[in-house]
Amino acid sequence: MTVRVRFAPSPTGYLHIGSARTALFNYLYARSTGGKFLLRIEDTDIARSTEESTRSILDGLAWLELDHDEDIVFQSDSADKHRETARKLLADRKAYRDFTPKVEATGDVKAGIAERARAAQGVKNMRDNPYRDLSTGESDARAAAGEPFAIRLKVPMEGRTAFDDAVYGIQERDYDDTEDLVLLRSDGHPLYNLAVVCDDIEMQITHVIRGQDHLTNTHKQILIYEALGVVPPIFAHLPLIMAPNKGKLSKRKHGEVVSMTTYRDAGFLAAAFRNFLALLGWSAGEEQEIYTLSELIEKFSLDGIHRSNAVFNFHENDPRHWTDDKAQWMNAEYIRTMPVEQLLPFVRPELKAAKLWRDEYEDGTRTPSSANVAEDGVSLEVGSAEWYEKTVDLIRARFFTLKDFSSRGRSYFSEDYDFDAAAVEKNLTKFPDLKTWLPELANRFENEFSEERVSSPNVREGFTSKPFTEENIETVVKAFTEEKGTKLGVIMNGARTLLTGVAVGPSMLSVFETLGLKRTVMRLRSQVAWKT
RNA sequence: GUCCGGUUCGUCUAGGGGUUAGGACACCGCCCUUUCACGGCGGCAACACGGGUUCAAAUCCCGUACCGGAUACCA
């Protein structure tokens, strides 16, 4: 039997981190078993469902690359079938018409339900509905007379529902604890449990993998399967993802941190986030943390799923820990260790969005004529595809998100970058001599190197033509430092701040080389930083 | 209230009768270094509690506590 699983979100908001994980687990299970991963939009709550939300959920799934099989099923399209099923159950006397007038919920719905349940405690049997055993004749007559009614499932008086959950094990529940659930509202609207069972049957779902909050629904749904004479699928309930206080994780309370789009927009790599999500409530029982998608598919199994809820750990008022540390670490880990050519396609849109992109960065668009790249490849023309790749590779080591390429890495791609006040203070203002030394160093570079066509009145006649490479730069900077009787760090750090605007980054020699002679010289002469 | 589920470092987790209870993140320290949020080394830090079973319990059983979920003519 081919495995068929489904992810069935209700479109009442964006793709929540918990739903995303449910989708991921379904996806992994389907792919690991050679089964099908189906998508069903449970849009039967007309008042709350929106198309925008459906789109947002699909966007989220697309971003995570959880591609589904077959056409998307919209639950609302099958309402007639659901009604028909309810009527069939009625005809089979597995369900009955309840003529009790509908009571509208007011105020806090959840609290009201709990209150009502408490009040009913011990007072009455959950199934002692006066209409439960109404004769067919009278029921038909009242219905024919136009009296409104809901259709309720007739839960047997004796016995219990039981199923073997793939995660939680044997689950049993006395019929006594289950109310005769409404299948069809008095306005003819089919309700969730009926709709889900009908659709799961229709879609030939073999495994229902969903949140643990559905555990009691499962008992109700099994009752419907039994009434219908259909063998229920296998159920696997997932532990829930909680807020740091172990409470419910919600948009109301926690905002954007729970939305998948937040991570996409914050410069997360889908692969990294997927990896993080996979480890929230599941483990392969080993010490590995970084898994490629194919490894996840290969290793995923229902027995690796935990029974206890997991905390999504973030700190609302701490910008550095605004989301789970491990998610951030994992993203950084992906950025700095994945093959650079795989990273490039993600950096490009980021630079484009920040208007830092140049077409020359694209592979294959280089113009050979403009290249004065040394034969050994050490000094690359700034702006070439090779330069771009090398630069991305250099600066990614200390980056956490794709956003960093356009923010903290801005100075590599544009002349228009900001100076960090603390860095200026620490590395420039503190050493006033640098104000003259650095432009002097620029002249020195210009005289010593010839990587680029620099036209300047300061170029000496008969200069030695050396490539602007780390090794050569080091010699020059060291000599310069000695002449000035200062420490290498003073020059290097001053140059770093002037050239990149910040106090941190890769080796300064590689920064010089990466920026190239022309830009290095220009920036060393710049006095802008001193004015801030 | 009732039903159901859960409980190993701050967080994610490994381990499921005998372990110095392992790893990762975070945090702290040292090293590397011209700087650094890279890297290297190290440190802090956990079996909820009480009973039982057993030669031996984090691990099995029972209870308690706490946390969570559910309880709807919502999904």
Side-chain angles (χ1 to χ4, degrees), chain A residues 45 100 116 179 216 281 398:
Chain A
D45 188 337
T100 313
R116 198 163 66 104
E179 192 181 25
T216 45
R398 288 163 184 80

mmCIF file with all atom_site columns, all heavy atoms in Angstrom, chain A residues 45 100 116 179 216 281 398, chain B residues 12-13 36 70 72-74:
data_model
loop_
_atom_site.group_PDB
_atom_site.id
_atom_site.type_symbol
_atom_site.label_atom_id
_atom_site.label_alt_id
_atom_site.label_comp_id
_atom_site.label_asym_id
_atom_site.label_entity_id
_atom_site.label_seq_id
_atom_site.pdbx_PDB_ins_code
_atom_site.Cartn_x
_atom_site.Cartn_y
_atom_site.Cartn_z
_atom_site.occupancy
_atom_site.B_iso_or_equiv
_atom_site.pdbx_formal_charge
_atom_site.auth_seq_id
_atom_site.auth_comp_id
_atom_site.auth_asym_id
_atom_site.auth_atom_id
_atom_site.pdbx_PDB_model_num
ATOM 1   N N     . ASP A 1 45  ? -14.443 27.143 7.535  1.00 0.00 ? 45  ASP A N     1
ATOM 2   C CA    . ASP A 1 45  ? -14.864 28.228 8.419  1.00 0.00 ? 45  ASP A CA    1
ATOM 3   C C     . ASP A 1 45  ? -14.874 29.497 7.572  1.00 0.00 ? 45  ASP A C     1
ATOM 4   O O     . ASP A 1 45  ? -13.879 30.217 7.483  1.00 0.00 ? 45  ASP A O     1
ATOM 5   C CB    . ASP A 1 45  ? -13.892 28.370 9.588  1.00 0.00 ? 45  ASP A CB    1
ATOM 6   C CG    . ASP A 1 45  ? -14.396 29.358 10.624 1.00 0.00 ? 45  ASP A CG    1
ATOM 7   O OD1   . ASP A 1 45  ? -15.217 30.222 10.265 1.00 0.00 ? 45  ASP A OD1   1
ATOM 8   O OD2   . ASP A 1 45  ? -13.977 29.263 11.783 1.00 0.00 ? 45  ASP A OD2   1
ATOM 9   N N     . THR A 1 100 ? -32.787 20.630 19.420 1.00 0.00 ? 100 THR A N     1
ATOM 10  C CA    . THR A 1 100 ? -32.482 21.638 20.434 1.00 0.00 ? 100 THR A CA    1
ATOM 11  C C     . THR A 1 100 ? -32.030 22.919 19.748 1.00 0.00 ? 100 THR A C     1
ATOM 12  O O     . THR A 1 100 ? -31.167 22.859 18.865 1.00 0.00 ? 100 THR A O     1
ATOM 13  C CB    . THR A 1 100 ? -31.336 21.149 21.354 1.00 0.00 ? 100 THR A CB    1
ATOM 14  O OG1   . THR A 1 100 ? -31.622 19.813 21.761 1.00 0.00 ? 100 THR A OG1   1
ATOM 15  C CG2   . THR A 1 100 ? -31.168 22.046 22.558 1.00 0.00 ? 100 THR A CG2   1
ATOM 16  N N     . ARG A 1 116 ? -18.963 25.153 30.889 1.00 0.00 ? 116 ARG A N     1
ATOM 17  C CA    . ARG A 1 116 ? -20.128 24.327 30.596 1.00 0.00 ? 116 ARG A CA    1
ATOM 18  C C     . ARG A 1 116 ? -19.844 22.863 30.941 1.00 0.00 ? 116 ARG A C     1
ATOM 19  O O     . ARG A 1 116 ? -20.677 22.164 31.506 1.00 0.00 ? 116 ARG A O     1
ATOM 20  C CB    . ARG A 1 116 ? -20.471 24.441 29.108 1.00 0.00 ? 116 ARG A CB    1
ATOM 21  C CG    . ARG A 1 116 ? -21.889 23.996 28.772 1.00 0.00 ? 116 ARG A CG    1
ATOM 22  C CD    . ARG A 1 116 ? -22.308 24.508 27.421 1.00 0.00 ? 116 ARG A CD    1
ATOM 23  N NE    . ARG A 1 116 ? -21.523 23.902 26.351 1.00 0.00 ? 116 ARG A NE    1
ATOM 24  C CZ    . ARG A 1 116 ? -21.979 22.938 25.558 1.00 0.00 ? 116 ARG A CZ    1
ATOM 25  N NH1   . ARG A 1 116 ? -23.183 22.462 25.719 1.00 0.00 ? 116 ARG A NH1   1
ATOM 26  N NH2   . ARG A 1 116 ? -21.221 22.446 24.611 1.00 0.00 ? 116 ARG A NH2   1
ATOM 27  N N     . GLU A 1 179 ? -19.080 13.305 23.804 1.00 0.00 ? 179 GLU A N     1
ATOM 28  C CA    . GLU A 1 179 ? -20.435 13.789 23.561 1.00 0.00 ? 179 GLU A CA    1
ATOM 29  C C     . GLU A 1 179 ? -20.891 13.340 22.174 1.00 0.00 ? 179 GLU A C     1
ATOM 30  O O     . GLU A 1 179 ? -20.062 13.069 21.311 1.00 0.00 ? 179 GLU A O     1
ATOM 31  C CB    . GLU A 1 179 ? -20.404 15.326 23.617 1.00 0.00 ? 179 GLU A CB    1
ATOM 32  C CG    . GLU A 1 179 ? -21.768 15.966 23.673 1.00 0.00 ? 179 GLU A CG    1
ATOM 33  C CD    . GLU A 1 179 ? -21.678 17.489 23.704 1.00 0.00 ? 179 GLU A CD    1
ATOM 34  O OE1   . GLU A 1 179 ? -20.650 18.030 23.221 1.00 0.00 ? 179 GLU A OE1   1
ATOM 35  O OE2   . GLU A 1 179 ? -22.598 18.128 24.194 1.00 0.00 ? 179 GLU A OE2   1
ATOM 36  N N     . THR A 1 216 ? -7.937  14.199 20.952 1.00 0.00 ? 216 THR A N     1
ATOM 37  C CA    . THR A 1 216 ? -9.335  13.861 21.259 1.00 0.00 ? 216 THR A CA    1
ATOM 38  C C     . THR A 1 216 ? -10.206 13.880 20.005 1.00 0.00 ? 216 THR A C     1
ATOM 39  O O     . THR A 1 216 ? -11.182 13.144 19.923 1.00 0.00 ? 216 THR A O     1
ATOM 40  C CB    . THR A 1 216 ? -9.954  14.780 22.334 1.00 0.00 ? 216 THR A CB    1
ATOM 41  O OG1   . THR A 1 216 ? -9.621  16.122 22.033 1.00 0.00 ? 216 THR A OG1   1
ATOM 42  C CG2   . THR A 1 216 ? -9.431  14.417 23.704 1.00 0.00 ? 216 THR A CG2   1
ATOM 43  N N     . GLY A 1 281 ? 11.440  18.136 18.038 1.00 0.00 ? 281 GLY A N     1
ATOM 44  C CA    . GLY A 1 281 ? 10.435  17.093 18.218 1.00 0.00 ? 281 GLY A CA    1
ATOM 45  C C     . GLY A 1 281 ? 10.759  15.793 17.514 1.00 0.00 ? 281 GLY A C     1
ATOM 46  O O     . GLY A 1 281 ? 9.970   14.862 17.531 1.00 0.00 ? 281 GLY A O     1
ATOM 47  N N     . ARG A 1 398 ? 31.698  35.272 8.995  1.00 0.00 ? 398 ARG A N     1
ATOM 48  C CA    . ARG A 1 398 ? 31.154  35.860 10.218 1.00 0.00 ? 398 ARG A CA    1
ATOM 49  C C     . ARG A 1 398 ? 29.717  36.328 10.058 1.00 0.00 ? 398 ARG A C     1
ATOM 50  O O     . ARG A 1 398 ? 29.228  37.112 10.861 1.00 0.00 ? 398 ARG A O     1
ATOM 51  C CB    . ARG A 1 398 ? 32.040  37.016 10.662 1.00 0.00 ? 398 ARG A CB    1
ATOM 52  C CG    . ARG A 1 398 ? 33.367  36.536 11.224 1.00 0.00 ? 398 ARG A CG    1
ATOM 53  C CD    . ARG A 1 398 ? 34.374  37.659 11.273 1.00 0.00 ? 398 ARG A CD    1
ATOM 54  N NE    . ARG A 1 398 ? 35.677  37.191 11.731 1.00 0.00 ? 398 ARG A NE    1
ATOM 55  C CZ    . ARG A 1 398 ? 36.552  36.558 10.945 1.00 0.00 ? 398 ARG A CZ    1
ATOM 56  N NH1   . ARG A 1 398 ? 36.250  36.309 9.682  1.00 0.00 ? 398 ARG A NH1   1
ATOM 57  N NH2   . ARG A 1 398 ? 37.719  36.176 11.426 1.00 0.00 ? 398 ARG A NH2   1
ATOM 58  P P     . C   B 2 12  ? 13.370  22.516 25.287 1.00 0.00 ? 12  C   B P     1
ATOM 59  O OP1   . C   B 2 12  ? 11.937  22.386 24.985 1.00 0.00 ? 12  C   B OP1   1
ATOM 60  O OP2   . C   B 2 12  ? 13.941  21.799 26.444 1.00 0.00 ? 12  C   B OP2   1
ATOM 61  O "O5'" . C   B 2 12  ? 14.210  22.118 23.997 1.00 0.00 ? 12  C   B "O5'" 1
ATOM 62  C "C5'" . C   B 2 12  ? 13.854  22.638 22.708 1.00 0.00 ? 12  C   B "C5'" 1
ATOM 63  C "C4'" . C   B 2 12  ? 14.768  22.045 21.671 1.00 0.00 ? 12  C   B "C4'" 1
ATOM 64  O "O4'" . C   B 2 12  ? 16.132  22.441 21.955 1.00 0.00 ? 12  C   B "O4'" 1
ATOM 65  C "C3'" . C   B 2 12  ? 14.830  20.527 21.690 1.00 0.00 ? 12  C   B "C3'" 1
ATOM 66  O "O3'" . C   B 2 12  ? 13.731  19.982 20.996 1.00 0.00 ? 12  C   B "O3'" 1
ATOM 67  C "C2'" . C   B 2 12  ? 16.168  20.264 21.024 1.00 0.00 ? 12  C   B "C2'" 1
ATOM 68  O "O2'" . C   B 2 12  ? 16.091  20.426 19.631 1.00 0.00 ? 12  C   B "O2'" 1
ATOM 69  C "C1'" . C   B 2 12  ? 17.021  21.386 21.618 1.00 0.00 ? 12  C   B "C1'" 1
ATOM 70  N N1    . C   B 2 12  ? 17.735  20.965 22.834 1.00 0.00 ? 12  C   B N1    1
ATOM 71  C C2    . C   B 2 12  ? 18.948  20.262 22.697 1.00 0.00 ? 12  C   B C2    1
ATOM 72  O O2    . C   B 2 12  ? 19.376  20.025 21.560 1.00 0.00 ? 12  C   B O2    1
ATOM 73  N N3    . C   B 2 12  ? 19.619  19.876 23.807 1.00 0.00 ? 12  C   B N3    1
ATOM 74  C C4    . C   B 2 12  ? 19.119  20.144 25.015 1.00 0.00 ? 12  C   B C4    1
ATOM 75  N N4    . C   B 2 12  ? 19.822  19.743 26.086 1.00 0.00 ? 12  C   B N4    1
ATOM 76  C C5    . C   B 2 12  ? 17.896  20.851 25.187 1.00 0.00 ? 12  C   B C5    1
ATOM 77  C C6    . C   B 2 12  ? 17.238  21.231 24.079 1.00 0.00 ? 12  C   B C6    1
ATOM 78  P P     . U   B 2 13  ? 13.198  18.552 21.465 1.00 0.00 ? 13  U   B P     1
ATOM 79  O OP1   . U   B 2 13  ? 12.181  18.177 20.477 1.00 0.00 ? 13  U   B OP1   1
ATOM 80  O OP2   . U   B 2 13  ? 12.873  18.555 22.903 1.00 0.00 ? 13  U   B OP2   1
ATOM 81  O "O5'" . U   B 2 13  ? 14.489  17.661 21.196 1.00 0.00 ? 13  U   B "O5'" 1
ATOM 82  C "C5'" . U   B 2 13  ? 14.773  16.534 21.957 1.00 0.00 ? 13  U   B "C5'" 1
ATOM 83  C "C4'" . U   B 2 13  ? 16.206  16.156 21.687 1.00 0.00 ? 13  U   B "C4'" 1
ATOM 84  O "O4'" . U   B 2 13  ? 17.085  17.127 22.288 1.00 0.00 ? 13  U   B "O4'" 1
ATOM 85  C "C3'" . U   B 2 13  ? 16.646  14.843 22.296 1.00 0.00 ? 13  U   B "C3'" 1
ATOM 86  O "O3'" . U   B 2 13  ? 16.257  13.769 21.438 1.00 0.00 ? 13  U   B "O3'" 1
ATOM 87  C "C2'" . U   B 2 13  ? 18.158  15.016 22.308 1.00 0.00 ? 13  U   B "C2'" 1
ATOM 88  O "O2'" . U   B 2 13  ? 18.717  14.836 21.036 1.00 0.00 ? 13  U   B "O2'" 1
ATOM 89  C "C1'" . U   B 2 13  ? 18.275  16.488 22.714 1.00 0.00 ? 13  U   B "C1'" 1
ATOM 90  N N1    . U   B 2 13  ? 18.418  16.671 24.170 1.00 0.00 ? 13  U   B N1    1
ATOM 91  C C2    . U   B 2 13  ? 19.611  16.252 24.740 1.00 0.00 ? 13  U   B C2    1
ATOM 92  O O2    . U   B 2 13  ? 20.512  15.774 24.076 1.00 0.00 ? 13  U   B O2    1
ATOM 93  N N3    . U   B 2 13  ? 19.698  16.418 26.093 1.00 0.00 ? 13  U   B N3    1
ATOM 94  C C4    . U   B 2 13  ? 18.740  16.944 26.928 1.00 0.00 ? 13  U   B C4    1
ATOM 95  O O4    . U   B 2 13  ? 18.964  17.038 28.128 1.00 0.00 ? 13  U   B O4    1
ATOM 96  C C5    . U   B 2 13  ? 17.531  17.359 26.270 1.00 0.00 ? 13  U   B C5    1
ATOM 97  C C6    . U   B 2 13  ? 17.412  17.200 24.949 1.00 0.00 ? 13  U   B C6    1
ATOM 98  P P     . C   B 2 36  ? 39.657  41.569 19.117 1.00 0.00 ? 36  C   B P     1
ATOM 99  O OP1   . C   B 2 36  ? 39.241  42.059 20.441 1.00 0.00 ? 36  C   B OP1   1
ATOM 100 O OP2   . C   B 2 36  ? 40.728  40.553 19.003 1.00 0.00 ? 36  C   B OP2   1
ATOM 101 O "O5'" . C   B 2 36  ? 38.393  41.037 18.328 1.00 0.00 ? 36  C   B "O5'" 1
ATOM 102 C "C5'" . C   B 2 36  ? 37.231  41.857 18.215 1.00 0.00 ? 36  C   B "C5'" 1
ATOM 103 C "C4'" . C   B 2 36  ? 36.261  41.189 17.267 1.00 0.00 ? 36  C   B "C4'" 1
ATOM 104 O "O4'" . C   B 2 36  ? 36.785  41.205 15.921 1.00 0.00 ? 36  C   B "O4'" 1
ATOM 105 C "C3'" . C   B 2 36  ? 36.050  39.702 17.548 1.00 0.00 ? 36  C   B "C3'" 1
ATOM 106 O "O3'" . C   B 2 36  ? 35.076  39.548 18.562 1.00 0.00 ? 36  C   B "O3'" 1
ATOM 107 C "C2'" . C   B 2 36  ? 35.545  39.203 16.197 1.00 0.00 ? 36  C   B "C2'" 1
ATOM 108 O "O2'" . C   B 2 36  ? 34.193  39.514 15.983 1.00 0.00 ? 36  C   B "O2'" 1
ATOM 109 C "C1'" . C   B 2 36  ? 36.388  40.041 15.224 1.00 0.00 ? 36  C   B "C1'" 1
ATOM 110 N N1    . C   B 2 36  ? 37.596  39.330 14.756 1.00 0.00 ? 36  C   B N1    1
ATOM 111 C C2    . C   B 2 36  ? 37.542  38.659 13.528 1.00 0.00 ? 36  C   B C2    1
ATOM 112 O O2    . C   B 2 36  ? 36.488  38.672 12.882 1.00 0.00 ? 36  C   B O2    1
ATOM 113 N N3    . C   B 2 36  ? 38.651  38.020 13.086 1.00 0.00 ? 36  C   B N3    1
ATOM 114 C C4    . C   B 2 36  ? 39.758  38.027 13.813 1.00 0.00 ? 36  C   B C4    1
ATOM 115 N N4    . C   B 2 36  ? 40.825  37.384 13.335 1.00 0.00 ? 36  C   B N4    1
ATOM 116 C C5    . C   B 2 36  ? 39.834  38.697 15.068 1.00 0.00 ? 36  C   B C5    1
ATOM 117 C C6    . C   B 2 36  ? 38.733  39.326 15.498 1.00 0.00 ? 36  C   B C6    1
ATOM 118 P P     . A   B 2 70  ? -6.266  22.582 22.715 1.00 0.00 ? 70  A   B P     1
ATOM 119 O OP1   . A   B 2 70  ? -6.405  23.012 21.319 1.00 0.00 ? 70  A   B OP1   1
ATOM 120 O OP2   . A   B 2 70  ? -6.344  23.559 23.814 1.00 0.00 ? 70  A   B OP2   1
ATOM 121 O "O5'" . A   B 2 70  ? -7.338  21.440 23.026 1.00 0.00 ? 70  A   B "O5'" 1
ATOM 122 C "C5'" . A   B 2 70  ? -7.531  20.388 22.104 1.00 0.00 ? 70  A   B "C5'" 1
ATOM 123 C "C4'" . A   B 2 70  ? -8.428  19.361 22.722 1.00 0.00 ? 70  A   B "C4'" 1
ATOM 124 O "O4'" . A   B 2 70  ? -7.846  18.911 23.970 1.00 0.00 ? 70  A   B "O4'" 1
ATOM 125 C "C3'" . A   B 2 70  ? -9.808  19.854 23.130 1.00 0.00 ? 70  A   B "C3'" 1
ATOM 126 O "O3'" . A   B 2 70  ? -10.669 19.878 22.017 1.00 0.00 ? 70  A   B "O3'" 1
ATOM 127 C "C2'" . A   B 2 70  ? -10.208 18.774 24.132 1.00 0.00 ? 70  A   B "C2'" 1
ATOM 128 O "O2'" . A   B 2 70  ? -10.604 17.586 23.489 1.00 0.00 ? 70  A   B "O2'" 1
ATOM 129 C "C1'" . A   B 2 70  ? -8.885  18.533 24.852 1.00 0.00 ? 70  A   B "C1'" 1
ATOM 130 N N9    . A   B 2 70  ? -8.771  19.316 26.087 1.00 0.00 ? 70  A   B N9    1
ATOM 131 C C8    . A   B 2 70  ? -8.103  20.488 26.312 1.00 0.00 ? 70  A   B C8    1
ATOM 132 N N7    . A   B 2 70  ? -8.186  20.924 27.545 1.00 0.00 ? 70  A   B N7    1
ATOM 133 C C5    . A   B 2 70  ? -8.974  19.963 28.181 1.00 0.00 ? 70  A   B C5    1
ATOM 134 C C6    . A   B 2 70  ? -9.442  19.839 29.507 1.00 0.00 ? 70  A   B C6    1
ATOM 135 N N6    . A   B 2 70  ? -9.168  20.710 30.470 1.00 0.00 ? 70  A   B N6    1
ATOM 136 N N1    . A   B 2 70  ? -10.210 18.774 29.800 1.00 0.00 ? 70  A   B N1    1
ATOM 137 C C2    . A   B 2 70  ? -10.489 17.894 28.833 1.00 0.00 ? 70  A   B C2    1
ATOM 138 N N3    . A   B 2 70  ? -10.108 17.901 27.554 1.00 0.00 ? 70  A   B N3    1
ATOM 139 C C4    . A   B 2 70  ? -9.348  18.975 27.292 1.00 0.00 ? 70  A   B C4    1
ATOM 140 P P     . A   B 2 72  ? -17.787 20.346 24.191 1.00 0.00 ? 72  A   B P     1
ATOM 141 O OP1   . A   B 2 72  ? -17.734 21.046 25.478 1.00 0.00 ? 72  A   B OP1   1
ATOM 142 O OP2   . A   B 2 72  ? -18.826 19.318 23.925 1.00 0.00 ? 72  A   B OP2   1
ATOM 143 O "O5'" . A   B 2 72  ? -17.964 21.401 23.032 1.00 0.00 ? 72  A   B "O5'" 1
ATOM 144 C "C5'" . A   B 2 72  ? -19.220 22.099 23.074 1.00 0.00 ? 72  A   B "C5'" 1
ATOM 145 C "C4'" . A   B 2 72  ? -19.429 22.793 21.747 1.00 0.00 ? 72  A   B "C4'" 1
ATOM 146 O "O4'" . A   B 2 72  ? -18.529 23.915 21.715 1.00 0.00 ? 72  A   B "O4'" 1
ATOM 147 C "C3'" . A   B 2 72  ? -19.145 21.911 20.538 1.00 0.00 ? 72  A   B "C3'" 1
ATOM 148 O "O3'" . A   B 2 72  ? -20.290 21.420 19.837 1.00 0.00 ? 72  A   B "O3'" 1
ATOM 149 C "C2'" . A   B 2 72  ? -18.100 22.685 19.712 1.00 0.00 ? 72  A   B "C2'" 1
ATOM 150 O "O2'" . A   B 2 72  ? -18.476 22.905 18.397 1.00 0.00 ? 72  A   B "O2'" 1
ATOM 151 C "C1'" . A   B 2 72  ? -17.958 24.021 20.444 1.00 0.00 ? 72  A   B "C1'" 1
ATOM 152 N N9    . A   B 2 72  ? -16.559 24.440 20.595 1.00 0.00 ? 72  A   B N9    1
ATOM 153 C C8    . A   B 2 72  ? -15.515 23.808 21.208 1.00 0.00 ? 72  A   B C8    1
ATOM 154 N N7    . A   B 2 72  ? -14.386 24.463 21.172 1.00 0.00 ? 72  A   B N7    1
ATOM 155 C C5    . A   B 2 72  ? -14.721 25.611 20.481 1.00 0.00 ? 72  A   B C5    1
ATOM 156 C C6    . A   B 2 72  ? -13.957 26.733 20.106 1.00 0.00 ? 72  A   B C6    1
ATOM 157 N N6    . A   B 2 72  ? -12.675 26.865 20.387 1.00 0.00 ? 72  A   B N6    1
ATOM 158 N N1    . A   B 2 72  ? -14.583 27.711 19.426 1.00 0.00 ? 72  A   B N1    1
ATOM 159 C C2    . A   B 2 72  ? -15.890 27.576 19.134 1.00 0.00 ? 72  A   B C2    1
ATOM 160 N N3    . A   B 2 72  ? -16.708 26.569 19.434 1.00 0.00 ? 72  A   B N3    1
ATOM 161 C C4    . A   B 2 72  ? -16.057 25.617 20.114 1.00 0.00 ? 72  A   B C4    1
ATOM 162 P P     . C   B 2 73  ? -21.785 22.141 20.086 1.00 0.00 ? 73  C   B P     1
ATOM 163 O OP1   . C   B 2 73  ? -21.552 23.386 20.799 1.00 0.00 ? 73  C   B OP1   1
ATOM 164 O OP2   . C   B 2 73  ? -22.845 21.249 20.578 1.00 0.00 ? 73  C   B OP2   1
ATOM 165 O "O5'" . C   B 2 73  ? -22.229 22.556 18.613 1.00 0.00 ? 73  C   B "O5'" 1
ATOM 166 C "C5'" . C   B 2 73  ? -21.642 21.951 17.503 1.00 0.00 ? 73  C   B "C5'" 1
ATOM 167 C "C4'" . C   B 2 73  ? -21.923 22.833 16.305 1.00 0.00 ? 73  C   B "C4'" 1
ATOM 168 O "O4'" . C   B 2 73  ? -23.303 22.627 15.911 1.00 0.00 ? 73  C   B "O4'" 1
ATOM 169 C "C3'" . C   B 2 73  ? -21.746 24.320 16.625 1.00 0.00 ? 73  C   B "C3'" 1
ATOM 170 O "O3'" . C   B 2 73  ? -21.034 24.867 15.536 1.00 0.00 ? 73  C   B "O3'" 1
ATOM 171 C "C2'" . C   B 2 73  ? -23.194 24.851 16.735 1.00 0.00 ? 73  C   B "C2'" 1
ATOM 172 O "O2'" . C   B 2 73  ? -23.373 26.114 16.102 1.00 0.00 ? 73  C   B "O2'" 1
ATOM 173 C "C1'" . C   B 2 73  ? -23.994 23.832 15.889 1.00 0.00 ? 73  C   B "C1'" 1
ATOM 174 N N1    . C   B 2 73  ? -25.344 23.592 16.390 1.00 0.00 ? 73  C   B N1    1
ATOM 175 C C2    . C   B 2 73  ? -26.397 23.897 15.522 1.00 0.00 ? 73  C   B C2    1
ATOM 176 O O2    . C   B 2 73  ? -26.153 24.345 14.409 1.00 0.00 ? 73  C   B O2    1
ATOM 177 N N3    . C   B 2 73  ? -27.670 23.676 15.929 1.00 0.00 ? 73  C   B N3    1
ATOM 178 C C4    . C   B 2 73  ? -27.904 23.195 17.134 1.00 0.00 ? 73  C   B C4    1
ATOM 179 N N4    . C   B 2 73  ? -29.180 22.996 17.480 1.00 0.00 ? 73  C   B N4    1
ATOM 180 C C5    . C   B 2 73  ? -26.836 22.895 18.054 1.00 0.00 ? 73  C   B C5    1
ATOM 181 C C6    . C   B 2 73  ? -25.580 23.112 17.628 1.00 0.00 ? 73  C   B C6    1
ATOM 182 P P     . C   B 2 74  ? -20.262 26.040 15.184 1.00 0.00 ? 74  C   B P     1
ATOM 183 O OP1   . C   B 2 74  ? -20.777 27.370 15.520 1.00 0.00 ? 74  C   B OP1   1
ATOM 184 O OP2   . C   B 2 74  ? -20.181 25.574 13.802 1.00 0.00 ? 74  C   B OP2   1
ATOM 185 O "O5'" . C   B 2 74  ? -18.816 25.894 15.836 1.00 0.00 ? 74  C   B "O5'" 1
ATOM 186 C "C5'" . C   B 2 74  ? -17.828 25.148 15.151 1.00 0.00 ? 74  C   B "C5'" 1
ATOM 187 C "C4'" . C   B 2 74  ? -16.723 26.080 14.759 1.00 0.00 ? 74  C   B "C4'" 1
ATOM 188 O "O4'" . C   B 2 74  ? -15.995 26.450 15.951 1.00 0.00 ? 74  C   B "O4'" 1
ATOM 189 C "C3'" . C   B 2 74  ? -15.669 25.473 13.857 1.00 0.00 ? 74  C   B "C3'" 1
ATOM 190 O "O3'" . C   B 2 74  ? -16.074 25.554 12.519 1.00 0.00 ? 74  C   B "O3'" 1
ATOM 191 C "C2'" . C   B 2 74  ? -14.484 26.370 14.149 1.00 0.00 ? 74  C   B "C2'" 1
ATOM 192 O "O2'" . C   B 2 74  ? -14.627 27.605 13.496 1.00 0.00 ? 74  C   B "O2'" 1
ATOM 193 C "C1'" . C   B 2 74  ? -14.630 26.586 15.662 1.00 0.00 ? 74  C   B "C1'" 1
ATOM 194 N N1    . C   B 2 74  ? -13.873 25.601 16.462 1.00 0.00 ? 74  C   B N1    1
ATOM 195 C C2    . C   B 2 74  ? -12.502 25.828 16.675 1.00 0.00 ? 74  C   B C2    1
ATOM 196 O O2    . C   B 2 74  ? -12.000 26.848 16.179 1.00 0.00 ? 74  C   B O2    1
ATOM 197 N N3    . C   B 2 74  ? -11.786 24.957 17.400 1.00 0.00 ? 74  C   B N3    1
ATOM 198 C C4    . C   B 2 74  ? -12.380 23.874 17.903 1.00 0.00 ? 74  C   B C4    1
ATOM 199 N N4    . C   B 2 74  ? -11.639 23.042 18.618 1.00 0.00 ? 74  C   B N4    1
ATOM 200 C C5    . C   B 2 74  ? -13.768 23.600 17.699 1.00 0.00 ? 74  C   B C5    1
ATOM 201 C C6    . C   B 2 74  ? -14.471 24.481 16.967 1.00 0.00 ? 74  C   B C6    1
#
